[in-house]
Amino acid sequence: ILNVEQSPQSLHVQEGDSTNFTCSFPSSNFYALHWYRWETAKSPEALFVMTLNGDEKKKGRISATLNTKEGYSYLYIKGSQPEDSATYLCARLYNQGGKLIFGQGTELSVKP
Amino acid sequence: NAGVTQTPKFQVLKTGQSMTLQCAQDMNHEYMSWYRQDPGMGLRLIHYSVGAGITDQGEVPNGYNVSRSTTEDFPLRLLSAAPSQTSVYFCASSFGTVDNEQFFGPGTRLTVL
C-alpha cells in the first residue's frame, strides 16, 4: 500500500498567522520525502528534499522536519502572507528508480 | 535551458481515439515521470523511467504506454482514450532520485468526450 496522507485537506488563515501541515507515510524502507508548493495554474515547485531522520530544512519563512521512524513530516509557515496561498504537496520516494508517490495535498488560503 | 517542455498544452479527444503526449527535457536528467492531476487526489504517478530503455509502472498505468528511446524524451501514449482519462498531465524529470527534486513541465490539459 503506497499511502501518503496529508492533513488538513484545506486551511484558511489570516495574514500573519503561523501554520503547519502534516504528512504521514509508511516508515519502512524509507528513501526520501519531498515537499512541493503548487500555485493555481502553475506547475509544482520543490521546497525541500529530506532524507535523514531528524532532518530540519528551512527556506525563508518555511521550514520542515522529518521523522522517518514514526513516518511523518511537518511543514511550518511562519507569519503567513497572501502569496503563500497554494497547495502544498508531500511525496515519498518508494525506490531509487524514482517512484515518487504524492499525498493529496493541503490547500492553504491566506486572507489579507 | 528550456527545462521540461510538454506538448500540446490542450487537447480534446473523442472516446476511442489515440494520441501521444510529448515530454522533453534539456537538463540531461536520467529520471523522468508522468503524473495525472485529479481533483482531491493530488498527483498520481502513471509511469516512470530511470534512463533510456528502462520504464516502470506507477500507481495508475492502465490505458497508458510509455517508451524511453532517448534521455531527452519520454512520450506518453493513450491507446484508446476514455472519459476517465480526462485530466491534466504533468511530466517531470530529475538528475537523481534520493537527493534530487523533480522539475515539472507546464502540463497538458486533456479532455475526452
Side-chain angles (χ1 to χ4, degrees):
Chain A
I1 296 177
L2 307 177
N3 280 347
V4 179
E5 302 287 341
Q6 291 188 247
S7 62
Q9 282 194 331
S10 65
L11 200 54
H12 300 267
V13 302
Q14 291 293 129
E15 182 175 356
D17 288 348
S18 292
T19 187
N20 63 85
F21 324 133
T22 303
C23 175
S24 303
F25 51 85
S27 57
S28 60
N29 299 321
F30 180 83
Y31 287 94
L33 194 284
H34 295 211
W35 281 100
Y36 290 83
R37 182 171 179 273
W38 193 5
E39 292 182 71
T40 302
K42 294 188 177 181
S43 302
E45 292 185 345
L47 288 170
F48 306 113
V49 177
M50 309 174 78
T51 58
L52 299 176
N53 185 45
D55 249 356
E56 291 189 25
K57 299 222 172 179
K58 187 174 181 181
K59 184 181 290 188
R61 294 179 291 99
I62 304 176
S63 61
T65 61
L66 178 65
N67 184 323
T68 62
K69 294 185 177 180
E70 296 184 36
Y72 65 83
S73 176
Y74 295 137
L75 187 78
Y76 301 92
I77 302 178
K78 183 178 179 181
S80 302
Q81 300 297 309
E83 57 264 31
D84 295 328
S85 297
T87 296
Y88 291 83
L89 297 168
C90 71
R92 183 191 190 275
L93 186 67
Y94 272 85
N95 60 29
Q96 291 181 317
K99 188 171 188 175
L100 193 66
I101 302 299
F102 282 81
Q104 74 273 36
T106 293
E107 186 177 357
L108 174 67
S109 174
V110 183
K111 293 190 175 180
Chain B
N1 286 352
V4 180
T5 57
Q6 292 182 237
T7 56
K9 288 188 178 180
F10 302 96
Q11 184 70 50
V12 179
L13 292 178
K14 294 182 179 178
T15 297
Q17 287 185 314
S18 62
M19 78 159 295
T20 298
L21 307 186
Q22 301 291 345
C23 174
Q25 52 88 14
D26 62 357
M27 298 177 281
N28 202 31
H29 286 173
E30 287 294 326
Y31 300 88
M32 298 185 75
S33 302
W34 274 104
Y35 298 91
R36 57 177 287 173
Q37 173 196 2
D38 296 309
M41 302 185 76
L43 294 170
R44 291 195 290 172
L45 180 65
I46 305 172
H47 287 284
Y48 63 104
S49 169
V50 302
I54 307 171
T55 65
D56 207 345
Q57 295 183 349
E59 300 171 276
V60 288
N62 292 342
Y64 306 95
N65 273 2
V66 291
S67 60
R68 184 99 179 269
S69 55
T70 68
T71 299
E72 294 78 19
D73 301 295
F74 191 39
L76 179 72
R77 297 183 189 85
L78 279 71
L79 307 173
S80 177
S84 60
Q85 293 179 305
T86 294
S87 188
V88 181
Y89 291 84
F90 287 95
C91 178
S93 72
S94 64
F95 183 73
T97 56
V98 177
D99 294 315
N100 298 99
E101 66 191 89
Q102 290 198 347
F103 293 86
F104 284 81
T108 293
R109 183 174 293 275
L110 175 68
T111 301
V112 182
L113 302 175

